[in-house]
Amino acid sequence: MKKILSFFLVISILLSLSSTSYASNSYAIDLNEIANKTIYLTQEVQDSGARVTTYNNISSFFEMAHSLYPNLSDEQFASFVIEYIGQDSSALSEEDLHNVLQYESISTSSSFFKITQDGEFQELSEEEMLMPLDIFTSTDGYMQLDTSYSLKKTVGSNKYFSVWTYATWIKWPAVALNDVLVLSTTGTFDSSVNEIAYVSQIFKCNGLSNCPQNTTRYRNVSKNKPVMDDLTLKYSNFTPYISFTPISPRCDYCTGGMGQAKDVYFKAYLSYGIITSNTCNIQAHYGHTTVGITNIQVSIKDGAVNITPGLAAIVQTYTARAVTVK
C-alpha cells in the first residue's frame, strides 16, 4: 500500500512541477516544492521555554526526490534538507550528510544572545535579532546557538539519537582569544558514533586596493583526528566539546594582511550520539574569552556545565535553553 501511495504522490508532484522549472534545470526549486509537499512541521514550547520546531516525514522527501532526480547524489539531497530546515550544510562532512539520510524527523531550536556593555547576559527574541546590528554596541558580540536532534534507531527500550549544535557570531566580538563550544546532555554518550566538529570562518578584504577576494579558514576534528591546529576535541565525563582560538580577520590576496579584512562569516559546529531509554535534555553552551591568554576550563557532570576562565582571564558564557530529546 505504501508503494502505491508513493507512486501516486510522485505522479502528482510531476504534474504540478512547471515546465519552465525543468527547462531551466533549477532542481533546487523543484526540491523545495517536493519538500513542501512531503515534509510537515510541528512546533512546541517546552518546559525550559525552548521553542522547538520538528520537521517530520523526511524519509518521504528522500523517496520522492530520488524518484524525480535519480542522477543527484545522496549528499545533495541531504544538503538540501539541512538548508531547508534553516541550517548550514556547506562545511558538513560526508559522514554527517550520510547520517541525515537516516532521519525520519529533525527537531531544532534557536536561541539568540548578546552581552550588554555592562557585561550582562541577555537573551533576545527572533524579532529583536532582525533589528539593525549597529544598535548593539557591546564589544562582546551577538550570537545565535542552534540545538538539534534526530532519532536514528530504537533497539529494545533504548533510543539512539544524533545531537548537534551550531554557534554563529551574527555580530563579531572585538577580540579573538580562546573559545569553547559545548553540547551537554543528561543522556548517555554513544561511544559507537564518531564525534565531528569544525570551525569555519570567512573574511572579506577591506583594503584600499578594493581586492574582491574572500579568505577562508576551515578547521575540522573528529574522534579519530582530535586536533587540527589549535582546534581540539576534548571530553569531560564522556561529553565532547571543542576548544579553539577564532582566527583574526586577514586577506590572503593583497598586501596589508590582517588590517585589511573584516569578518563576514563564523560557524562552529559539534555533533555526536546519545542513548536514552526515556527522555533527556541537551543544552548548547559557548564560552568566549574577552581578556587573558590562558585556556578556558570546562567541567561537565550530569548535564550541568561549568565554564571557568584560566588565570587572569575573563570569559563570557552564552547558554541556550535546554531542549528535551524524545
Side-chain angles (χ1 to χ4, degrees):
M1 176 63 74
K2 184 177 181 181
K3 290 184 178 180
I4 294 174
L5 291 175
S6 297
F7 170 78
F8 282 110
L9 185 53
V10 170
I11 294 301
S12 66
I13 292 174
L14 279 169
L15 292 175
S16 67
L17 296 176
S18 68
S19 60
T20 301
S21 179
Y22 273 92
S24 64
N25 198 30
S26 55
Y27 71 85
I29 298 175
D30 294 349
L31 290 180
N32 193 72
E33 188 167 351
I34 297 168
N36 289 340
K37 289 178 178 291
T38 54
I39 298 173
Y40 66 92
L41 277 61
T42 55
Q43 295 181 312
E44 65 170 328
V45 178
Q46 297 186 342
D47 291 343
S48 67
R51 297 179 180 274
V52 179
T53 300
T54 299
Y55 296 80
N56 303 278
N57 206 35
I58 293 175
S59 61
S60 291
F61 164 78
F62 286 134
E63 186 178 352
M64 298 300 100
H66 274 294
S67 298
L68 292 168
Y69 288 101
N71 293 327
L72 292 183
S73 68
D74 286 343
E75 289 82 1
Q76 287 173 295
F77 292 128
S79 292
F80 172 84
V81 167
I82 292 298
E83 299 291 336
Y84 185 79
I85 69 171
Q87 297 181 358
D88 190 348
S89 70
S90 61
L92 290 180
S93 69
E94 184 175 306
E95 183 175 354
D96 269 318
L97 293 174
H98 284 170
N99 286 338
V100 175
L101 300 172
Q102 306 175 47
Y103 301 157
E104 176 63 28
S105 65
I106 296 175
S107 298
T108 186
S109 177
S110 297
S111 298
F112 308 92
F113 321 97
K114 71 172 181 177
I115 302 296
T116 68
Q117 286 181 304
D118 298 327
E120 178 186 354
F121 174 83
Q122 189 173 111
E123 185 172 2
L124 304 173
S125 67
E126 191 165 359
E127 291 73 20
E128 290 174 306
M129 181 270 296
L130 296 174
M131 297 170 67
L133 292 181
D134 57 7
I135 70 172
F136 300 117
T137 56
S138 170
T139 59
D140 292 330
Y142 175 30
M143 169 158 282
Q144 176 177 340
L145 284 173
D146 296 301
T147 310
S148 305
Y149 72 88
S150 182
L151 176 65
K152 293 196 301 182
K153 63 180 180 180
T154 301
V155 179
S157 61
N158 287 330
K159 296 179 180 180
Y160 292 73
F161 290 91
S162 289
V163 296
W164 64 94
T165 184
Y166 289 92
T168 305
W169 282 118
I170 298 175
K171 184 176 183 180
W172 285 265
V175 296
L177 299 170
N178 180 227
D179 287 6
V180 294
L181 175 63
V182 184
L183 181 61
S184 63
T185 181
T186 57
T188 300
F189 173 64
D190 185 356
S191 61
S192 69
V193 174
N194 184 23
E195 301 87 72
I196 300 172
Y198 70 75
V199 176
S200 181
Q201 295 179 252
I202 300 175
F203 314 110
K204 180 179 178 61
C205 182
N206 199 33
L208 297 176
S209 62
N210 294 317
C211 169
Q213 299 288 343
N214 286 340
T215 297
T216 299
R217 290 290 186 271
Y218 176 72
R219 294 165 283 172
N220 66 302
V221 291
S222 64
K223 176 164 57 179
N224 298 322
K225 189 191 73 171
V227 178
M228 182 176 182
D229 299 330
D230 66 357
L231 173 62
T232 306
L233 178 65
K234 299 180 178 182
Y235 301 83
S236 175
N237 280 325
F238 302 101
T239 301
Y241 69 95
I242 54 173
S243 174
F244 60 95
T245 299
I247 296 170
S248 297
R250 63 203 56 212
C251 178
D252 290 343
Y253 303 97
C254 62
T255 58
M258 293 173 61
Q260 298 296 314
K262 64 178 181 179
D263 297 284
V264 294
Y265 176 94
F266 173 99
K267 279 192 186 294
Y269 168 85
L270 171 65
S271 70
Y272 62 99
I274 63 171
I275 307 169
T276 182
S277 59
N278 196 348
T279 63
C280 66
N281 289 340
I282 55 175
Q283 190 168 24
H285 313 256
Y286 191 95
H288 173 63
T289 302
T290 60
V291 175
I293 58 174
T294 54
N295 289 337
I296 297 173
Q297 305 300 313
V298 176
S299 62
I300 307 170
K301 184 176 181 181
D302 299 327
V305 174
N306 188 22
I307 297 175
T308 56
L311 181 65
I314 297 175
V315 172
Q316 295 289 358
T317 302
Y318 303 76
T319 302
R321 292 179 182 267
V323 171
T324 300
V325 175
K326 53 188 177 179

